[in-house]
Amino acid sequence: MASPPGSTDTATRPAPPEQIKAVPVRHPGRWVATAIIAVLAAMFVHMLVTNPVFQWDFMLDNMFTPAVLRGARTTLIMTILAMVLGVLLGIVLAVMRLSPNPIVSGSAWTYIWFFRAIPRIVLLFFIANLGALYASYDLGIPFDQQLMDFFGFEADWRFLSLNGNQIFAGFTAGLLGLALSEGAYMAEIVRAGIQSVDPGQAEAASALGLSRGKTMRRIVLPQAMRVIIPPTGNETIAMLKDTSLLIAVPVTTELNFQLRAIGSRTFQIIPMAVASILWYLALTSLLMIGQYFLEKRFSRGVGTRETRAQRAARRARGVGGST
Amino acid sequence: MSEAVPSPFPLSTTPMVRAEAVCKSFGHVDVLKGIDLEVAAGEVVCVIGPSGSGKSTFLRCINHLEKINAGRLWVDGRLVGYRERGGKLHELRDRDVAAQRRDIGMVFQRFNLFPHMTALENVVEAPTQVKGVRKDAARARGVELLERVGLAERVHSYPNQLSGGQQQRVAIARALAMEPKLMLFDEPTSALDPELVGEVLDVMRGLAESGMTMIVVTHEMGFAREVGDTLVFMDDGVIVESGDPRRVLSDPQHARTQAFLSKVL
Ligand SMILES: Nc1ncnc2c1ncn2[C@@H]1O[C@H](COP(=O)(O)OP(=O)(O)O)[C@@H](O)[C@H]1O
Ligand SMILES: [Mg+2]
């Protein structure tokens, strides 16, 4: 507030002009809208409270059972793991997509095209049944048996053999499906982020002698993050919700499955559906908090805010007594 | 330095830069049409010329940000971007190109500082990441360099907290941190408000006096006259005229030089 009229410290200066006290414009439309919304909200709350179908006590009693809590944990862990793998895969695909080598960028394009076209629930169902394709999945030299046959030996070069029915079941299958699919979406987000960075940045880095890898890791990607993080937040929230598709694998330890199971066992469908809604609201809010801190972390050098190091330096100078 | 002496550089030593008939085209557009130039160690060459004449492209060829299509280009006696063996040119691997670039500092018109790093982090980045200098040693040296360009107070500032002139001085310190043999400046003051031009030119003048070899694309004729040992006028992808800056500026021989100077002076 400005100093009140007639205060004494204005003796040297001319008195400041009088503050404007105008009559504000009235907005009758806003009052009407507020009234309508208030009535609708009251009706909604009234329905929640009076309709016996909601069974609030039952819902509260059943939405925190050990099985449900485990389900929430599985859902959260699955979301985070699938996103971490998806982001890493997305970065690799985005860098490949921007490669000058047409074979490399073409492969990335094909991957993205394929996995974006497949609905996640279809992909999950397919992966869950890959155990039927081969009984075991081996890691080794490609075409080893054919090569050995050719030279007349009876042997193979395999280092690791995995049982198909085990790896393509449950949690791993779900994680694989969600991460593979997410990689395709993240690739496009990361590519947009990389392309949003001024090409002068990569140029300055190479002029300093930084390798292409270091230029990408240390100069381009950190700046691309500002563009990458907000849509990645959306992707994470979408991923949280898509864990409910794990029923196609099936992964039965996941949150929605557990809540629905209680609902169908007790015939209290609505209360448990509401419980589901509340759980997803809570988990999404949790993720939004994480996103807030990530965005802050990667906005360094964007605002003109004083940073921690600068504040410390300024204080240190202040103690020295120079200013 | 080197007042009024026409050629203070003995021709027997290896020139810092030697360009022979350097040509560069983008698709069907010929941008450089045979550039011949020699820059001796310690020499300051200023390059002037109309926009689009290929000045930036030539600088970018010198540190192999662009590949030349014909001719030869040497920096400190080594072919840029290639190795000659058995009468054939072999492209250098990325790693070797990067190694060559370490010895060449470049300062851009738009500064191109890394915005997510403080002034000091900008300066320390290449020595630690490319040369493997220890972090504390690099930071000590970085602070020294920032003091040298008059920014001791702004060591921990991010680029967007600095004025254009301060940013460009950080960029110069960043290039110097790699201890280059040659510095390339591409219109370093063109993006600055007029009152900030002087502080950057002062730093460049100090650098020239310390004996740094410099190629400076500029529109600052005063700087070219006072600091430059040689002035090169480029137009349409060729060097039209070059020589002692005072002579070229006061008595241009070619009609194109005359026309250009009459517009800018
Ligand atoms: N990467 C590029 N692709 C196509 N044309 C380019 C490229 N870089 C520069 N040019 C063209 O080369 C010509 C010379 O550019 P430049 O070297 O920037 O000139 P100057 O720096 O003298 O203004 C211009 O006509 C410009 O359009
Ligand atoms: Mg230019």
Side-chain angles (χ1 to χ4, degrees):
Chain A
M1 280 300 288
S3 54
S7 74
T8 50
D9 65 329
T10 53
T12 51
R13 273 174 284 154
E18 195 191 340
Q19 294 285 306
I20 293 176
K21 292 197 195 72
V23 180
V25 177
R26 307 286 175 205
H27 297 283
R30 286 185 197 168
W31 290 106
V32 175
T34 308
I36 292 174
I37 290 167
V39 169
L40 288 175
M43 286 167 70
F44 182 68
V45 171
H46 180 254
M47 175 202 65
L48 289 182
V49 174
T50 57
N51 193 320
V53 176
F54 282 107
Q55 298 278 2
W56 295 107
D57 291 343
F58 176 85
M59 185 195 86
L60 284 174
D61 285 345
N62 285 280
M63 72 184 284
F64 300 109
T65 63
V68 171
L69 290 178
R70 270 199 306 279
R73 201 184 59 189
T74 307
T75 287
L76 211 51
I77 290 175
M78 178 69 92
T79 303
I80 291 168
L81 284 183
M83 283 310 296
V84 168
L85 292 179
V87 168
L88 293 178
L89 184 59
I91 291 173
V92 172
L93 285 166
V95 172
M96 286 173 68
R97 186 88 178 77
L98 295 170
S99 158
N101 180 334
I103 307 277
V104 173
S105 76
S107 327
W109 184 90
T110 310
Y111 180 99
I112 295 165
W113 167 75
F114 182 83
F115 281 95
R116 284 207 305 182
I118 314 294
R120 280 191 177 162
I121 196 160
V122 175
L123 181 66
L124 287 169
F125 183 72
F126 177 73
I127 289 181
N129 292 286
L130 272 181
L133 207 54
Y134 290 104
S136 84
Y137 287 78
D138 299 342
L139 293 178
I141 307 284
F143 297 109
D144 56 338
Q145 282 172 348
Q146 287 84 340
L147 280 171
M148 283 302 200
D149 275 352
F150 181 78
F151 293 110
F153 294 108
E154 275 284 332
D156 60 22
W157 283 315
R158 307 264 159 125
F159 318 126
L160 182 63
S161 182
L162 298 166
N163 182 319
N165 283 315
Q166 275 170 13
I167 53 168
F168 295 118
F171 193 89
T172 2
L175 179 59
L176 195 62
L178 291 177
L180 288 177
S181 162
E182 188 56 41
Y185 290 95
M186 282 310 304
E188 291 296 278
I189 291 172
V190 174
R191 181 168 69 111
I194 290 174
Q195 286 177 329
S196 75
V197 177
D198 172 14
Q201 291 289 308
E203 192 151 278
S206 9
L208 285 167
L210 263 73
S211 67
R212 275 159 40 112
K214 278 201 170 139
T215 299
M216 187 54 81
R217 264 202 326 279
R218 299 193 49 91
I219 308 298
V220 177
L221 279 179
Q223 294 182 56
M225 280 302 176
R226 265 194 325 120
V227 173
I228 292 173
I229 287 175
T232 305
N234 281 345
E235 288 294 309
T236 310
I237 289 166
M239 178 62 79
L240 180 79
K241 296 182 291 184
D242 281 357
T243 54
S244 58
L245 300 176
L246 291 172
I247 193 161
V249 174
V251 178
T252 52
T253 52
E254 154 277 325
L255 178 66
N256 186 49
F257 189 95
Q258 290 297 328
L259 289 164
R260 264 176 64 184
I262 298 173
S264 19
R265 199 166 59 235
T266 58
F267 300 106
Q268 299 290 357
I269 306 294
I270 288 281
M272 293 329 281
V274 174
S276 248
I277 290 174
L278 294 177
W279 262 110
Y280 282 109
L281 276 173
L283 293 178
T284 301
S285 310
L286 200 65
L287 294 177
M288 284 167 69
I289 294 171
Q291 180 179 357
Y292 168 79
F293 283 107
L294 272 180
E295 281 183 16
K296 231 172 107 171
R297 165 75 175 69
F298 282 101
S299 66
R300 276 185 312 179
V302 176
T304 41
R305 238 167 358 101
E306 191 181 40
T307 62
R308 211 157 10 122
Q310 283 166 353
R311 207 162 29 246
R314 184 169 53 78
R315 292 222 180 97
R317 275 204 305 279
V319 168
S322 59
T323 315
Chain B
M1 63 178 297
S2 66
E3 298 289 296
V5 181
S7 177
F9 307 101
L11 293 173
S12 58
T13 55
T14 324
M16 186 56 79
V17 178
R18 190 146 82 93
E20 268 182 22
V22 166
C23 295
K24 172 67 191 174
S25 53
F26 294 105
H28 296 292
V29 187
D30 295 329
V31 175
L32 300 180
K33 303 169 181 169
I35 301 280
D36 293 294
L37 182 70
E38 249 182 50
V39 181
E43 188 177 359
V44 176
V45 173
C46 293
V47 181
I48 59 171
S51 174
S53 57
K55 306 181 297 293
S56 300
T57 305
F58 181 57
L59 282 194
R60 293 160 53 79
C61 287
I62 293 176
N63 68 357
H64 208 54
L65 287 172
E66 302 285 357
K67 268 188 191 146
I68 62 176
N69 303 113
R72 292 282 189 278
L73 192 49
W74 292 265
V75 170
D76 203 21
R78 282 164 65 204
L79 213 48
V80 174
Y82 300 94
R83 181 181 293 123
E84 199 155 24
R85 216 188 301 128
K88 254 192 172 168
L89 286 187
H90 299 261
E91 279 186 15
L92 290 183
R93 288 171 305 171
D94 284 351
R95 185 156 24 112
D96 299 323
V97 173
Q100 283 190 336
R101 283 188 186 132
R102 289 186 211 172
D103 293 339
I104 306 171
M106 186 149 187
V107 175
F108 302 87
Q109 182 176 353
R110 302 237 33 116
F111 327 136
N112 296 1
L113 288 181
F114 306 134
H116 57 304
M117 298 180 182
T118 63
L120 184 58
E121 286 166 352
N122 265 278
V123 175
V124 164
E125 179 69 10
T128 51
Q129 293 298 319
V130 179
K131 279 190 172 167
V133 177
R134 289 232 332 273
K135 238 198 171 119
D136 44 355
R139 287 177 76 88
R141 175 88 182 114
V143 170
E144 246 174 68
L145 283 167
L146 286 169
E147 275 166 9
R148 180 166 163 195
V149 299
L151 290 172
E153 296 287 298
R154 310 311 302 266
V155 165
H156 296 298
S157 298
Y158 282 92
N160 66 350
Q161 299 167 321
L162 300 173
S163 73
Q166 292 171 330
Q167 288 188 54
Q168 193 62 296
R169 286 185 280 150
V170 174
I172 293 172
R174 178 176 72 175
L176 291 177
M178 289 299 279
E179 286 163 354
K181 297 181 217 158
L182 168 68
M183 286 283 286
L184 309 174
F185 293 85
D186 191 359
E187 302 197 28
T189 57
S190 297
L192 298 178
D193 293 335
E195 77 272 20
L196 302 178
V197 168
E199 61 189 60
V200 172
L201 292 183
D202 285 345
V203 168
M204 291 168 61
R205 192 187 315 262
L207 200 55
E209 278 160 11
S210 76
M212 177 64 75
T213 314
M214 296 164 53
I215 303 181
V216 184
V217 174
T218 187
H219 295 297
E220 297 294 328
M221 298 304 165
F223 179 85
R225 188 189 344 250
E226 288 155 34
V227 181
D229 299 303
T230 308
L231 184 64
V232 168
F233 172 66
M234 269 180 78
D235 190 12
D236 200 20
V238 295
I239 291 180
V240 175
E241 184 166 356
S242 71
D244 179 74
R246 291 153 208 273
R247 210 263 309 136
V248 175
L249 288 174
S250 59
D251 180 27
Q253 301 297 303
H254 286 259
R256 279 148 88 185
T257 322
Q258 287 160 8
F260 176 74
L261 289 177
S262 73
K263 267 184 250 154
V264 298
L265 285 181

